[in-house]
Amino acid sequence: MDDDIRPDVDALRTALAAHGITLPSLGVDVVTLAGSNIRPPLVALGNCNLATARQLTDALRKAAGG
């Protein structure tokens, strides 16, 4: 199984940036990356402030047609 999720994280970062959204902590969760091979590593979305959370909510609503 290919556990290199960095291209996916980069794609998410690019997609968010297209909507003016930056998640500074976005990356690969190092704990799950270093863990067992039972499941793929997780994407760490990290913390964001309220303004960024609202931007993300707005972008997702628009993408869903609402």
Side-chain angles (χ1 to χ4, degrees):
M1 173 183 357
D2 181 14
D3 286 345
D4 187 4
I5 64 171
R6 290 173 294 189
D8 299 287
V9 171
D10 291 340
L12 178 56
R13 183 177 288 111
T14 300
L16 289 169
H19 293 277
I21 300 170
T22 301
L23 296 177
S25 304
L26 179 64
V28 178
D29 179 71
V30 294
V31 173
T32 58
L33 182 63
S36 72
N37 292 331
I38 295 172
R39 66 173 190 249
L42 299 175
V43 175
L45 296 175
N47 298 322
C48 66
N49 62 29
L50 181 56
T52 301
R54 287 179 176 162
Q55 282 182 295
L56 185 54
T57 300
D58 187 48
L60 290 170
R61 283 186 179 142
K62 285 179 183 174

